[in-house]
Amino acid sequence: PLLVRSGARMQLTARAEALRHPVQDALTRVRNLLIGEGFEPARSTRTFRLFVADNASDLLLPLLLKRLEDEAPSVCIRVQPLVGNAWDPFELAQLVDVAIACVPSRFKGFYQQRLFTDRDACAVRRSRTNRRLLAKPEEFLKAKHVAVVGREFAEDPVDTWLRQEGRKRNVVLTVPHYLQALHVVSESDLIGVIPERLIRAYAGTLDLDAIKVPLDVGTFDEYLLHPARSRDDPGCVWLRGILMEIAKSLGPLEPK
């Protein structure tokens, strides 16, 4: 038996658990055979499954959709949330075709390419009158902050870094997404420490400025990752190429 009753629910037997990964692997192989050898973007109706970190999602997805509209109008993108046991390398490899993240070590067994380099900056409302005070570390830490804590983190990585440096900032609001934080900043005197490329992408729309964090926060890299099963898939190869071209179009970081 593969299923047994446990109260009002059905549970997998040990035999079913043992079959789970081999069956998933076999289904993936069948799927790849059905996809075929070629890929024509203009005629394809494929759905690609992506995991994209929050800051990269808001930065890259609008640009990706514009490219798809021109080159592959019937291709769909499904952004996958990672829940439950999804960080298991085998499970993750079955769940996504492509991933974009700044922590490649969480994607064990995935191929990786560096997409672009970014750094954190202070997002401030353009009309904020006392912004010059933020050039001083003490005033920066005392200012009212909005923090961003995604589902995969216990706290904002900025606060983790500050704690390791023996510092603490004044967080008065916590939200789960960077774009939410940018909207809050645009309507208040709160500041947000947010990836600089993302601030600049929405600066015109939300009337924001990106100013230097008065502490040495350094830079970080975003990576394009993919599982071995999609390495030679023509459609996935095409999609990765599009994403690499979009990242290249972002250009270098502006001087501090």
Side-chain angles (χ1 to χ4, degrees):
L2 300 179
L3 291 169
V4 293
R5 184 173 295 280
S6 176
R9 303 176 60 186
M10 300 296 288
Q11 288 187 334
L12 295 177
T13 64
R15 174 61 175 161
E17 289 286 0
L19 288 172
R20 187 179 178 191
H21 288 178
V23 168
Q24 286 181 333
D25 185 58
L27 289 174
T28 297
R29 292 174 183 273
V30 171
R31 173 179 174 273
N32 291 339
L33 285 173
L34 294 176
I35 288 173
E37 292 298 323
F39 177 78
E40 298 182 51
R43 300 178 60 183
S44 177
T45 59
R46 275 187 69 175
T47 295
F48 292 96
R49 301 167 299 164
L50 276 64
F51 167 75
V52 189
D54 184 31
N55 63 303
S57 174
D58 294 326
L59 180 64
L60 298 179
L61 285 183
L63 300 174
L64 175 60
L65 291 176
K66 288 180 181 179
R67 287 290 299 267
L68 295 184
E69 185 177 350
D70 293 335
E71 301 178 29
S74 296
V75 163
C76 296
I77 300 295
R78 180 178 178 182
V79 178
Q80 298 279 123
L82 298 187
V83 296
N85 199 35
W87 288 115
D88 174 81
F90 185 89
E91 299 283 352
L92 190 57
Q94 304 304 313
L95 186 65
V96 300
D97 299 308
V98 174
I100 298 174
C102 62
V103 190
S105 60
R106 301 194 74 171
F107 294 78
K108 295 178 180 178
F110 277 56
Y111 293 94
Q112 58 181 262
Q113 299 167 272
R114 189 174 64 82
L115 265 181
F116 59 86
T117 299
D118 207 345
R119 62 173 170 245
D120 285 328
C122 287
V124 298
R125 182 165 49 89
R126 193 162 286 165
S127 58
R128 199 178 197 272
T129 56
N130 59 346
R131 57 196 292 172
R132 286 180 297 179
L133 293 175
L134 299 177
K136 302 176 182 179
E138 297 78 12
E139 296 296 332
F140 162 78
L141 294 171
K142 287 197 303 183
K144 293 182 177 180
H145 289 245
V146 52
V148 180
V149 182
R151 178 177 293 177
E152 66 270 31
F153 295 105
E155 64 178 349
D156 191 319
V158 173
D159 294 302
T160 303
W161 176 77
L162 285 172
R163 189 174 65 255
Q164 292 169 349
E165 296 291 315
R167 299 173 181 267
K168 183 179 180 181
R169 60 177 176 159
N170 180 23
V171 175
V172 300
L173 175 67
T174 300
V175 297
H177 301 292
Y178 283 111
L179 199 53
Q180 289 175 318
L182 289 179
H183 278 278
V184 168
V185 169
S186 72
E187 299 292 337
S188 70
D189 276 341
L190 270 63
I191 66 172
V193 180
I194 292 170
E196 184 175 325
R197 290 186 185 275
L198 186 60
I199 300 173
R200 297 194 184 281
Y202 288 87
T205 303
L206 297 178
D207 201 30
L208 298 170
D209 277 333
I211 63 177
K212 181 182 175 182
V213 176
L215 299 168
D216 186 12
V217 294
T219 61
F220 61 89
D221 293 325
E222 290 284 348
Y223 291 87
L224 179 66
L225 306 113
H226 64 275
R229 66 167 182 80
S230 69
R231 181 169 178 79
D232 297 318
D233 178 283
C236 292
V237 171
W238 168 82
L239 179 61
R240 296 197 300 269
I242 293 290
L243 289 167
M244 291 297 293
E245 290 175 12
I246 291 172
K248 187 176 180 179
S249 74
L250 297 176
L253 280 171
E254 296 184 13
K256 288 186 178 180

